Amino acid sequence: MDPLDLARLQFGATTVYHFIFVPLTIGLAPLVAIMQTIWVVTGNERWLRLTKFFGKLLLINFAIGVATGIVQEFQFGMNWSEYSRFVGDVFGAPLAMEALAAFFVESTFLGLWIFGWDKLPKKIHLATIWAVALSTNLSAFFILAANSWMQHPVGAVWNEATGRAEMNDIGAVLTNSTLWAAFPHTITAAFLTAGTFVAGIAAWWMVRLVRAGQVDKARDVYRPAVVLGVVVMFLAGVGVALSGDQQAKLMFQQQPMKMSSAEALCETVDGASFSLLAIGDLSNSCEGVNHIIEIPGLTSFLASGDWSAPLPGVQDLQKQYEEKYGFTDDAGNPISYQPNLAITYWSFRLMIGFGLGSAALAVFAFWVTRRGRVSGSPWIGRLAIVALATPFLASSFGWVFTEMGRQPWVVAPNPSGVDGVWLLTQHGVSTVVSAGTVATSLIAFTLLYGVLAVFWYRLMHRYTIEGVADSERDHSPDNPDNHIDPDAAERPLSFAY
């Protein structure tokens, strides 16, 4: 394998690994804030117990997300130094905004939330977790602004003298149509993940307690968490569907090759169907591909809103791209502008398919908890455990489709203009980092991430099976039952978990 293949493999592996933790943090922070808000407003102790329980899981996930995210920054300057040289003037701005306006706020207020349970008044302490929740989502906005610019460059010009893209309109970068389609889809997917996480764990505990004869505790503590998770899943599921539909239509305009590759559509057709299965050679040759179990016109509808609209095939798009861009390989032959059809076709379907796991849990959990009921059905407990993984897998396959479907571009051309602001992936890799260096770091990261995965799982498992505490006391200074220690101001902050 050459340095390009290894660099792509390393970036893909580390990015997908990091993104496992991202949607849970984005979605769970607001849910923990909602739980604490209900406690502050109602004074019901069970919501304080739920806040502490899910807050502990949030902190574990947040910590490993930060650790794995740092690696991404280093890869830009090392394995992908040519890419960074080309886009650094544009790409660096939203990343700097993410650090200054979002991550620093997020980490600062998270520290106040962790250590401030017995130091801050309840409403001030509540404000800190809401600051964390808002800044977490703001962080996602700036990261997506950078990624969306790679999908659809705007607000930049090509400087022929320096050979770089240079930003001339930060407003255009932050109002990019691709960004405002991707952001709602990513955020609603994160809420779907967090809702599934809360409902899945709470449903498993509910079943366990009912079967152990502790029906009152199951009804009083865990059923409200199940209901909250189910409501979030229903709302987020609708949001994912609507925003995904908008993204698909925009993708058809901006990256038609990606949309056609999602269906492995080799030839241009009117009213393109959506297939559940394709057999044959899903390589770039596109020979002998047969679609089985089709929904007539659905792909055309997803792309344009018209069930009979024509959709260009990848072979016709290949010819158009050859005429427009004219890149050739070392032998002088036109390069392939088609992504790997097998990956794009199946990642698109796996994204949708795994998303149905959350839908199944939402429907069954709603049914067994209706009208104040609780359930001890082992099937619900098993479904809760299985469904926990499905939104994480759906999000991961969604990112695989988004990034692999853009190939061979690392900065995809804007079909409506911005001449020259595009970059092939093969031109973005470093010219001085050797294959051996990349392979060594890839092996090191694989081993390190494997160790981190073990620690993450053991910590999440340990605190999940401990369950919600039997009681929690309000330690805030505005609780009249607390005696104020005159020496409290001199004591160091204590970790509340």
Side-chain angles (χ1 to χ4, degrees), residues 11-342:
F11 198 89
T14 55
T15 300
V16 170
Y17 185 96
H18 168 64
F19 195 74
I20 290 174
F21 314 105
V22 171
L24 181 59
T25 298
I26 293 173
L28 189 56
L31 292 193
V32 170
I34 290 172
M35 294 176 190
Q36 187 169 342
T37 301
I38 297 174
W39 168 62
V40 171
V41 172
T42 65
N44 191 318
E45 186 213 24
R46 72 169 169 230
W47 289 105
L48 173 60
R49 294 154 64 189
L50 287 168
T51 300
K52 288 290 192 77
F53 174 66
F54 284 106
K56 194 180 302 182
L57 301 178
L58 169 65
L59 293 177
I60 297 168
N61 197 76
F62 178 86
I64 193 169
V66 171
T68 55
I70 293 173
V71 174
Q72 308 302 103
E73 308 289 343
F74 286 103
Q75 289 183 96
F76 287 133
M78 299 177 73
N79 294 353
W80 298 96
S81 57
E82 287 301 306
Y83 162 81
S84 296
R85 185 195 63 79
F86 180 80
V87 305
D89 189 70
V90 183
F91 200 74
L95 292 184
M97 292 178 180
E98 189 271 337
L100 296 172
F103 182 74
F104 286 172
V105 175
E106 179 183 359
S107 54
T108 298
F109 282 98
L110 186 64
L112 290 171
W113 186 72
I114 294 171
F115 295 106
W117 284 95
D118 62 345
K119 299 286 186 182
L120 300 174
K122 278 196 290 190
K123 292 183 179 180
I124 299 298
H125 187 257
L126 174 63
T128 63
I129 187 62
W130 275 111
V132 171
L134 293 175
S135 57
T136 298
N137 284 265
L138 184 62
S139 178
F141 176 82
F142 288 122
I143 294 296
L144 287 170
N147 181 268
S148 296
W149 187 87
M150 296 165 61
Q151 308 282 347
H152 182 67
V154 294
V157 294
W158 162 249
N159 188 325
E160 188 174 358
T162 61
R164 301 175 69 231
E166 296 181 354
M167 181 163 56
N168 62 356
D169 188 355
I170 183 62
V173 174
L174 297 180
T175 58
N176 191 345
S177 58
T178 308
L179 167 62
W180 285 97
F183 180 66
H185 192 61
T186 304
I187 296 303
T188 51
F191 273 95
L192 183 64
T193 302
T196 306
F197 184 80
V198 170
I201 291 175
W204 180 81
W205 264 106
M206 177 185 70
V207 170
R208 183 179 182 183
L209 290 175
V210 170
R211 294 177 67 83
Q214 302 180 51
V215 177
D216 290 340
K217 184 177 180 180
R219 180 177 288 108
D220 181 62
V221 178
Y222 289 103
R223 182 185 175 277
V226 174
V227 172
L228 174 63
V230 167
V231 170
V232 171
M233 278 193 286
F234 275 124
L235 295 176
V238 173
V240 167
L242 294 178
S243 58
D245 178 69
Q246 176 61 28
Q247 241 190 333
K249 290 175 172 53
L250 194 63
M251 187 191 307
F252 175 68
Q253 301 171 20
Q254 298 176 351
Q255 297 184 45
M257 180 69 83
K258 184 187 292 187
M259 192 68 196
S260 296
S261 299
E263 181 51 36
L265 188 66
C266 295
E267 299 178 354
T268 301
V269 297
D270 294 335
S273 301
F274 183 90
S275 61
L276 301 182
L277 176 65
I279 59 175
D281 183 11
L282 285 178
S283 67
N284 288 350
S285 65
C286 220
E287 295 179 357
V289 175
N290 294 311
H291 297 86
I292 302 174
I293 314 178
E294 295 182 318
I295 303 175
L298 181 57
T299 299
S300 287
F301 177 79
L302 292 174
S304 64
D306 183 353
W307 294 86
S308 60
L311 201 63
V314 295
Q315 294 178 332
D316 292 329
L317 289 169
Q318 171 69 22
K319 295 176 183 177
Q320 295 176 22
Y321 283 28
E322 288 177 6
E323 296 175 359
K324 186 171 183 177
Y325 302 109
F327 288 105
T328 58
D329 58 21
D330 294 337
N333 300 314
I335 67 168
S336 174
Y337 297 92
Q338 304 172 22
N340 187 304
L341 295 186

